[in-house]
Amino acid sequence: MSESTAEKVPTREELIGRAQDLIPLLRSNADRTEKESKVPAENIAALREAGLLRLSTPRAWGGWELSMRQQVEVLSELGRGCPSTGWIAANHAASVDLVMLMPEPGLREIYGADPDAVMLSAASLDPSLRADTVPGGLKVNGRFPYASGCELSDWAFLAWVPVHDEDGKQTGVANLLAPPTGLRIEHTWKVAGLLGTGTHAMVAEDLFVPDRFVQFAPLQPTGEPVSPIPATVLIKGNLHSLSSLVGAARGALDLVRAKLEEHKPLAFSTYTRAIDSAAVQQAFAEATHLIDTGVLHMLAVADGFDAVPEGEDATPAERARLRMHMVSSLERCRDAMQRLLDLAGTSGFAQSNPVQRYWRDLEIGSRHTALNRPMIFEDYARSLLGTGAPVSLLF
């Protein structure tokens, strides 16, 4: 355990204040973050210095062990400054929850050395992915196509890796923990938004993972694998990610408001100040209210998770309900962004205007497979009407 376990946990107001204090830095580095396809070391150092890499880490390992409500409030502020940095911080907070499933000897080795170690998590449907049992651990081969922060993280949590014995027979699945430096990085993240997350592919080539960094789950008698990750832990991770996207909408709102307060004229109208237009005022009020509504949905999900007793899983019906609230949060924020883009006008799409970056980041992030709107709607409807098992295999 770390000596930092004796540190006093900062208050909610202190942590939110620290995140807000970082917004100018994150915004000043946002263009560089995007161009370099990774969060600058300066941003990570600032997060570490502010204690914002300890949001989900248990007190026993040097962290703050905050409620989900407090975590998403802080992460949303980071996304408000830079959605890519907010996404990495959110991915880290979610990954810590997964790392805590690992054997204690491995945790002691990691957190005894660095309670601020940066974590990522990645899964893969690569049919060639496998781990072979070898003396003292596993030998892993396969490709993980989406690994946010793989060039800046200290540890990678690799989920649901099929495990085979010496005879080549699958015996179960495992979660593994390894430094990303032990995997080959393929620079594949060439998309329209969240470019600064560096969500590249990682390739394991005869990667040795010792037993202390392996969480194994044997096959059921039916031969089917059992997920070594509780469903509630997975969905909490989705909420972490969502909070950074809500922050993106809030960041765009900040910038549009600042531009209106510069008292620029409304082009091709009689208004010498756009802010005096009733139509402009209404659009801004609508955008603000939509984002506020998105925040309320986000906090409702957080409160739902906080109400689940420690160590227990939320019921399938409750999981479906909470995921539906996540969809509603994102939809409200995306609707708000459209109104903000209308107010920003054509200039809002200039490459030099950060409003368009917030827009792109929100659009890409809200399409994450775990935030998939049609699938979540279908699961919610099935849950309400009792018409079948969920279509989401992992939840």
Side-chain angles (χ1 to χ4, degrees):
M1 298 184 187
S2 167
E3 293 179 359
S4 58
T5 55
E7 291 183 32
K8 180 183 177 183
V9 178
T11 65
R12 166 187 175 272
E13 291 73 23
E14 287 172 336
L15 288 169
I16 290 176
R18 293 180 193 182
Q20 291 172 337
D21 288 343
L22 292 183
I23 290 176
L25 170 68
L26 302 185
R27 286 180 175 167
S28 67
N29 285 338
D31 187 56
R32 173 186 165 197
T33 299
E34 185 167 67
K35 287 180 179 177
E36 295 181 359
S37 192
K38 62 182 177 182
V39 173
E42 182 182 6
N43 288 16
I44 299 298
L47 293 176
R48 179 176 284 108
E49 179 65 24
L52 301 183
L53 295 177
R54 304 188 185 190
L55 304 181
S56 60
T57 307
R59 288 285 288 156
W61 300 109
W64 309 139
E65 200 172 328
L66 302 181
S67 67
M68 281 299 295
R69 173 178 271 257
Q70 291 174 318
Q71 290 182 51
V72 298
E73 287 178 320
V74 173
L75 293 169
S76 178
E77 295 295 340
L78 297 177
R80 186 178 180 182
C82 169
S84 285
T85 300
W87 183 273
I88 292 299
N91 187 276
H92 163 76
S95 298
V96 168
D97 283 343
L98 298 172
V99 169
M100 288 302 142
L101 300 171
M102 286 290 163
E104 185 169 330
L107 297 179
R108 190 179 302 114
E109 181 175 329
I110 293 168
Y111 287 96
D114 183 8
D116 293 308
V118 180
M119 305 292 177
L120 72 83
S121 50
S124 175
L125 296 177
D126 179 359
S128 66
L129 176 66
R130 64 181 288 152
D132 292 289
T133 303
V134 297
L138 298 173
K139 183 178 68 175
V140 185
N141 285 278
R143 187 171 184 271
F144 298 85
Y146 301 106
S148 295
C150 57
E151 294 185 298
L152 57 84
S153 297
D154 299 301
W155 293 90
F157 181 92
L158 308 177
W160 301 301
V161 180
V163 177
H164 297 75
D165 62 18
E166 294 84 350
D167 297 324
K169 179 182 178 181
Q170 184 175 353
T171 58
V173 294
N175 296 323
L176 314 173
L177 203 57
T181 51
L183 295 95
R184 177 166 56 85
I185 307 299
E186 295 180 348
H187 291 85
T188 53
W189 189 240
K190 299 175 182 179
V191 293
L194 286 179
L195 282 167
T197 63
T199 307
H200 304 301
M202 299 189 305
V203 181
E205 298 167 325
D206 288 339
L207 173 71
F208 175 70
V209 179
D211 287 333
R212 65 186 180 278
F213 295 130
V214 175
Q215 179 206 6
F216 177 74
L219 296 180
Q220 301 180 70
T222 60
E224 293 296 315
V226 177
S227 174
I229 305 174
T232 299
V233 174
L234 284 174
I235 303 173
K236 285 172 66 176
N238 304 154
L239 177 62
H240 283 110
S241 298
L242 180 143
S243 64
S244 66
L245 302 176
V246 172
R250 297 176 64 217
L253 183 72
D254 290 342
L255 297 182
V256 170
R257 180 184 185 118
K259 183 61 66 173
L260 289 175
E261 290 176 342
E262 288 180 5
H263 296 159
K264 295 293 182 68
L266 186 60
F268 301 106
S269 78
T270 59
Y271 286 104
T272 58
R273 302 193 323 166
I275 200 171
D276 293 329
S277 163
V280 168
Q281 293 170 8
Q282 179 175 342
F284 186 81
E286 288 176 347
T288 302
H289 179 67
L290 284 165
I291 292 172
D292 282 348
T293 304
V295 170
L296 290 175
H297 281 290
M298 176 185 75
L299 294 177
V301 179
D303 290 343
F305 284 130
D306 286 335
V308 177
E310 182 70 26
E312 295 187 17
D313 229 354
T315 65
E318 178 66 357
R319 298 199 299 266
R321 187 185 74 84
L322 294 177
R323 294 182 77 208
M324 194 64 236
H325 274 293
M326 288 194 228
V327 167
S328 295
S329 178
L330 283 177
E331 287 187 338
R332 299 296 81 76
C333 288
R334 283 166 55 176
D335 289 345
M337 187 68 79
Q338 294 305 307
R339 286 165 173 76
L340 294 174
L341 291 171
D342 289 342
L343 291 174
T346 306
S347 63
F349 294 90
Q351 292 183 353
S352 60
N353 192 325
V355 170
Q356 52 81 28
R357 183 186 303 114
Y358 282 108
W359 165 61
R360 288 185 288 108
D361 290 349
L362 175 59
E363 290 296 322
I364 293 295
S366 63
R367 265 75 179 190
H368 189 283
T369 184
L371 299 170
N372 181 294
R373 179 186 185 277
M375 188 166 59
I376 291 173
F377 249 111
E378 185 168 349
D379 279 349
Y380 183 55
R382 286 175 176 236
S383 172
L384 290 174
L385 299 172
T387 55
V391 296
S392 306
L393 296 178
L394 303 180
F395 302 100

